[in-house]
Amino acid sequence: MADEKKEVKPKKRMTATQAAASIGPMVKEFITGTLRARAEGKQKIAYTFIVCHHEEIFRAMDVVPVWTENFAGICGAKRDAERFLQRAESLGLSRSLCTYALCGIGFDQWREELGQMPPDAPWGGQVRPDFMISSGQILCDPRSKWYQASQQFMPDVPIYNIDLPYPLFQRDRDHRDVWDYYHQYIVKQLRGLVTFLEEQTKKKMDYDRLRELVDLSDRTWNLIEETYDLRKAVPCPMGTGDAMNTMVPINFMMATQQAYDFFVNLKKELEEKIAKGEGEVENEKYRLMWGGGLPAWFALTDFNYFNSKGASFPVETTYRMVAPLNQMDIPETKDPIEHLAWRWLGYWTFWYDKAKKRPGSEPDVERLINRIEEYKIDGVVMHEAFSCRTWHVGLIWQLHQLAKIYKPIPVFVTGKGGKKEKIYRELPSLILESDIIDITSYSEVDTKNKIDAFIETLESIRLNRAA
Amino acid sequence: MAFVLGIDIGSAASKGILLNDQGMQASYECPSGGDFKLTAERIKKELLSQTQKSEKEISRTVATGYGSTLVAFADEVKPDMVCHGKGVSSLLPSVRTVIDVGDLYTKVLHIDGHGSMHNFLLSGKCAGGSGRILQVIAKVLHVKVEEIGELSLKSKKRIDFSTGCAVFAESEAISRLSQEVTKEDLLAGLHRALAAQINSLVERIGVEQDVAMVGGGARDVGLVQALKEVRNQDILVPPNPHMTAALGAALIAMEGLKDKIET
């Protein structure tokens, strides 16, 4: 059997905002809450995935969601994932599969084998569910396969799968030509989920409550946009390191008053910082964008290393899973399920129209370009987490396309005849490589060497930039 | 006359260059060993001995490479890619893409006409596609690592070597030798596999002409030839390609000295 010793505790990342610092206890309470719910037995507990636009349905039915990706991330951040990954490997699963899934499957197998939580389980452990809601959406493959594997150890726990497609980008087609079909299909999927939950909880859906929760979520979406827009300020008051904390209410607590209040407070804190001219770093020299990839949860202190070089991260694409609702061209409806389906489609097609207007662009690249301009970005950092195949594949391509169609940096070069010429270069980029929670893929020395070289590149560009 | 020192503490080999405004005055290289601090001291001592200079006459030292932070007497530490850029540009001013095949990593960087880096890419944590594989194979074949380039060029029937992984390469080489494959053909196959891996990294970042290859791997004529064939284009190799980071470090030290005087 695998070595089941715990790993060395990581150093804590320094946060720029009080709001980000408050997230740790919040997540801990969230995990404790699931354990409490299990002990009390009054509410049903469901394993499920983030970014499925179904939180409102769960909360309206008083179902407690257990975000299994979140628990794996916690194990990673606490550098306590390896023993669960090794468990999964000993079951014959490859390390090259999604390590979130491996961690969760390894944990479930161990818990079921013992009939209790594994020893020293992070924050009390991941509670046994009453049912599992998987998702066949396009975001990533483990969303439909993970729970099937876990079900081997919990054969009495049913799985319900919801399918959440969206029309793919086609330059010569308007996605609105087909999205009614998608909408009808998604509405059916979500209604099917309601029926499943009604069967499991022996309760009927309260649609007035659902409507209220959807409205609360919508208001939270808009508030998040307003709050994150404040990070355009120079110096930037909050960076991506903090955003990897503040992603918690966005992704795990949507449709709760707590999430809304969190962003009210964060917005106030950022406004105060801006008024005082306080930045994430004391002397902001470079403004970077986290252009994609899930972070290495065990190495979030790398953001502090960037900060120590005068680099701030005003914006990221990862985990900003909201878009301004007032800019979405979606039909109005009083039916909350129909609205959820429209919001889903509005979110995933948000950049389509803009991308069509720029030759060679695509929605993901267009989003990068818009963020670069809005947040005055000097360079792009991405993280290739080897086990996160969905992100990994697209990142390199996005950078290629970005470099090809977007060259914002004017520099003088000496041409072939010895004459000085003004040309435009692409933004410099850095690709960090490791994993979301598999620490064996990570080298601190290499990462810091790469960051050092990248900072030198930014400095060289800053000095050579043509006026 | 001011002297400056550039020192590159690599994972396998360390190099030093003593420079003044007349050009390079001395150079030295040695294995890095297990004590980088001691190696740095040894290089400094050797360079001073070659030039009959005293420590006080070194006005500035820039360290680079894997063990650079352990060079206690350095005034400044710079990433090795930055130093390669400076070093290559001083020797081959037309170069805009530098491929550094080192012991543990392969790096590709884009530089401007002044040797300033404006983009780069490194191979991952895995040593596949780096120079380490050449040392592993040299050991298996009982040949000196300096000899494998020439041997490879004598190949008559290059084999298809299936891996660029430094660990699997050893077992593949042994199994091929048991099939009576010649050293020359085996090395040519290995060089081709390694060149293909390096090329995929080059392609990821793209190429701006001219292209130069540096690092210990660039001393291997077989590997340089294989990369030229894979890319179907010329690749420039400066003299002493393994010394360009140390040279760049010395040039940066000289620039730093001038800045200091000007201010």
Side-chain angles (χ1 to χ4, degrees):
Chain A
M1 184 48 73
D3 178 14
E4 287 158 2
K5 276 183 189 165
K6 283 181 73 175
E7 297 152 35
V8 182
K9 269 194 172 185
K11 273 186 272 177
K12 262 195 166 180
R13 192 184 67 80
M14 281 159 56
T15 59
T17 59
Q18 291 294 321
S22 72
I23 288 290
M26 206 183 274
V27 179
K28 192 170 185 180
E29 170 51 30
F30 172 70
I31 300 292
T32 310
T34 60
L35 297 167
R36 215 166 31 233
R38 175 85 287 162
E40 289 169 1
K42 290 177 190 162
Q43 287 174 285
K44 294 289 182 185
I45 293 166
Y47 272 10
T48 197
F49 296 100
I50 63 168
V51 200
C52 290
H53 289 208
H54 62 350
E55 297 95 317
E56 294 85 348
I57 295 172
F58 274 68
R59 300 199 194 281
M61 298 290 293
D62 283 323
V63 170
V64 177
V66 170
W67 309 101
T68 46
E69 294 150 301
N70 176 223
F71 185 72
I74 291 167
C75 294
K78 292 171 81 65
R79 297 197 174 188
D80 194 13
E82 184 59 25
R83 56 186 174 141
F84 308 121
L85 296 175
Q86 288 181 7
R87 274 255 157 188
E89 274 187 315
S90 70
L91 299 168
L93 297 166
S94 164
R95 183 72 67 127
S96 62
L97 298 172
C98 166
T99 46
Y100 278 172
L102 285 185
C103 179
I105 293 163
F107 186 93
D108 282 348
Q109 185 275 339
W110 200 348
R111 185 193 60 219
E112 295 305 302
E113 183 183 283
L114 293 174
Q116 61 184 38
M117 289 295 180
D120 300 321
W123 285 345
Q126 180 161 266
V127 76
R128 191 178 205 270
D130 294 299
F131 43 86
M132 300 184 267
I133 309 298
S134 62
S135 164
Q137 73 173 87
I138 319 170
L139 204 57
C140 64
D141 52 313
R143 288 172 167 247
S144 56
K145 305 306 290 182
W146 176 343
Y147 297 161
Q148 290 173 7
S150 278
Q151 201 179 40
Q152 294 175 74
F153 320 111
M154 301 181 279
D156 57 319
V157 177
I159 296 173
Y160 188 82
N161 185 73
I162 51 170
D163 197 15
L164 295 167
Y166 53 86
L168 296 179
F169 178 72
Q170 280 182 282
R171 181 163 290 282
D172 56 347
R173 295 278 173 89
D174 188 338
H175 56 278
R176 281 165 286 248
D177 290 348
V178 291
W179 75 350
D180 281 342
Y181 299 105
Y182 282 81
H183 184 258
Q184 283 171 27
Y185 181 73
I186 294 165
V187 166
K188 265 190 192 170
Q189 292 291 308
L190 293 176
R191 293 205 198 287
L193 173 64
V194 171
T195 305
F196 175 79
L197 295 182
E198 285 178 337
E199 284 165 7
Q200 292 294 319
T201 58
K202 314 278 185 237
K203 282 189 348 192
K204 293 303 281 179
M205 168 62 89
D206 177 345
Y207 281 94
D208 288 334
R209 191 173 172 212
L210 179 61
R211 199 169 292 113
E212 281 168 21
L213 289 170
V214 170
D215 178 60
L216 176 61
S217 274
D218 284 0
R219 285 186 287 120
T220 311
W221 272 48
N222 288 331
L223 178 60
I224 292 166
E225 275 295 307
E226 289 166 25
T227 307
Y228 276 18
D229 277 353
L230 292 172
R231 294 166 60 198
K232 290 173 184 168
V234 181
C236 166
M238 172 186 142
T240 296
D242 277 24
M244 292 302 173
N245 283 21
T246 58
M247 59 74 81
V248 165
I250 301 177
N251 291 281
F252 307 124
M253 293 163 64
M254 203 53 93
T256 67
Q257 188 62 39
Q258 200 184 354
Y260 184 84
D261 293 344
F262 177 88
F263 282 100
V264 169
N265 291 331
L266 177 58
K267 186 169 178 247
K268 194 168 160 243
E269 189 182 351
L270 295 186
E271 284 166 343
E272 285 168 3
K273 277 180 171 290
I274 292 166
K276 286 189 245 167
E278 275 179 22
E280 180 194 14
V281 295
E282 212 172 302
N283 295 305
E284 182 181 288
K285 285 176 80 180
Y286 318 107
R287 293 169 69 84
L288 306 178
M289 170 164 64
W290 183 266
L294 303 179
W297 288 110
F298 45 79
L300 291 178
T301 50
D302 287 344
F303 284 108
N304 289 150
Y305 190 69
F306 274 106
N307 296 159
S308 73
K309 308 276 175 186
S312 180
F313 280 87
V315 67
E316 60 287 321
T317 53
T318 307
Y319 289 130
R320 188 165 169 169
M321 307 309 290
V322 296
L325 283 157
N326 57 2
Q327 290 176 38
M328 281 182 199
D329 185 20
I330 52 175
E332 292 224 357
T333 169
K334 287 189 175 155
D335 182 327
I337 297 283
E338 291 208 354
H339 178 73
L340 287 175
W342 280 126
R343 195 180 70 191
W344 171 263
L345 289 166
Y347 174 77
W348 288 103
T349 58
F350 188 77
W351 296 98
Y352 283 19
D353 289 337
K354 279 193 171 180
K356 280 180 194 164
K357 287 177 190 157
R358 192 188 307 266
S361 190
E362 296 270 340
D364 286 341
V365 179
E366 192 59 31
R367 180 172 57 167
L368 292 177
I369 294 171
N370 276 261
R371 300 289 192 227
I372 287 165
E373 293 182 346
E374 288 167 7
Y375 288 81
K376 300 184 182 74
I377 293 302
D378 300 309
V380 182
V381 179
M382 291 183 168
H383 178 227
E384 270 193 322
F386 80 87
S387 80
C388 185
R389 298 173 303 282
T390 315
W391 266 107
H392 190 130
V393 173
L395 289 179
I396 301 293
W397 177 84
Q398 284 179 37
L399 275 185
H400 263 286
Q401 282 303 106
L402 182 69
K404 205 166 141 189
I405 66 169
Y406 188 66
K407 296 183 189 292
I409 303 174
V411 286
F412 284 119
V413 295
T414 310
K416 281 185 180 163
K419 214 176 156 190
K420 228 176 182 187
E421 290 170 15
K422 190 175 181 181
I423 61 159
Y424 288 86
R425 280 199 202 288
E426 72 276 16
L427 275 191
S429 57
L430 171 66
I431 300 172
L432 299 172
E433 288 167 277
S434 61
D435 186 45
I436 37 184
I437 61 171
D438 181 358
I439 199 167
T440 62
S441 64
Y442 177 71
S443 162
E444 187 176 341
V445 174
D446 289 354
T447 303
K448 288 191 170 168
N449 282 342
K450 281 186 181 182
I451 295 171
D452 288 346
F454 186 57
I455 296 292
E456 290 283 345
T457 305
L458 293 167
E459 183 60 14
S460 156
I461 287 170
R462 194 169 72 92
L463 295 174
N464 293 324
R465 190 185 267 263
Chain B
M1 188 176 290
F3 284 84
V4 293
L5 174 58
I7 190 158
D8 172 17
I9 307 292
S11 57
S14 293
K15 310 98 191 172
I17 282 182
L18 195 65
L19 203 70
N20 67 7
D21 52 13
Q22 303 295 308
M24 190 170 79
Q25 300 303 305
S27 68
Y28 180 68
E29 65 171 297
C30 62
S32 293
D35 189 335
F36 292 160
K37 276 185 190 174
L38 207 67
T39 304
E41 289 290 346
R42 179 180 164 193
I43 290 171
K44 183 173 69 173
K45 202 173 159 190
E46 182 64 33
L47 291 171
L48 291 173
S49 156
Q50 279 183 37
T51 51
Q52 302 290 302
K53 298 288 170 193
S54 73
E55 200 169 337
K56 283 180 188 165
E57 289 175 273
I58 298 177
S59 305
R60 191 167 179 79
T61 299
V62 169
T64 188
Y66 208 71
S68 56
T69 53
L70 294 171
V71 182
F73 55 86
D75 297 290
E76 196 180 354
V77 170
K78 283 281 181 187
D80 58 352
M81 284 180 285
V82 172
C83 297
H84 275 301
K86 281 281 172 200
V88 170
S89 188
S90 72
L91 299 167
L92 303 167
S94 65
V95 166
R96 295 293 177 271
T97 303
V98 181
I99 304 164
D100 165 32
V101 181
D103 172 49
L104 288 182
Y105 304 95
T106 291
K107 300 157 190 172
V108 186
L109 45 141
H110 287 164
I111 56 173
D112 63 19
H114 306 289
S116 298
M117 181 171 71
H118 61 85
N119 217 347
F120 68 93
L121 197 62
L122 271 77
S123 57
K125 189 182 177 185
C126 162
S130 75
R132 176 58 58 96
I133 197 169
L134 300 170
Q135 296 181 43
V136 171
I137 292 297
K139 206 172 160 190
V140 173
L141 299 180
H142 297 286
V143 296
K144 288 180 183 165
V145 72
E146 304 86 58
E147 295 168 359
I148 61 177
E150 293 293 348
L151 280 171
S152 163
L153 294 179
K154 288 178 188 157
S155 164
K156 290 196 172 70
K157 198 179 171 192
R158 186 186 72 223
I159 61 153
D160 285 331
F161 207 84
S162 65
T163 183
C165 167
V167 177
F168 293 146
E170 187 171 359
S171 53
E172 185 170 356
I174 292 166
S175 84
R176 291 305 186 113
L177 288 173
S178 72
Q179 294 163 0
E180 298 189 337
V181 167
T182 68
K183 286 177 183 177
E184 290 81 359
D185 292 343
L186 191 147
L187 285 168
L190 172 73
H191 278 139
R192 180 54 75 101
L194 188 52
Q197 258 192 315
I198 295 167
N199 188 48
S200 70
L201 196 70
V202 175
E203 285 300 315
R204 270 176 68 177
I205 190 169
V207 161
E208 292 177 17
Q209 294 292 359
D210 292 340
V211 180
M213 188 169 162
V214 296
R219 298 169 89 181
D220 181 334
V221 289
L223 179 60
V224 176
Q225 183 57 33
L227 193 57
K228 282 180 184 175
E229 286 170 14
V230 167
R231 292 202 54 75
N232 194 28
Q233 67 180 192
D234 194 27
I235 293 171
L236 306 174
V237 178
N240 296 315
H242 59 301
M243 301 292 283
T244 49
L247 174 62
L251 291 168
I252 291 167
M254 190 62 91
E255 284 174 3
L257 203 60
K258 283 177 185 161
D259 289 346
K260 217 172 164 183
I261 293 163
E262 280 166 17
T263 52

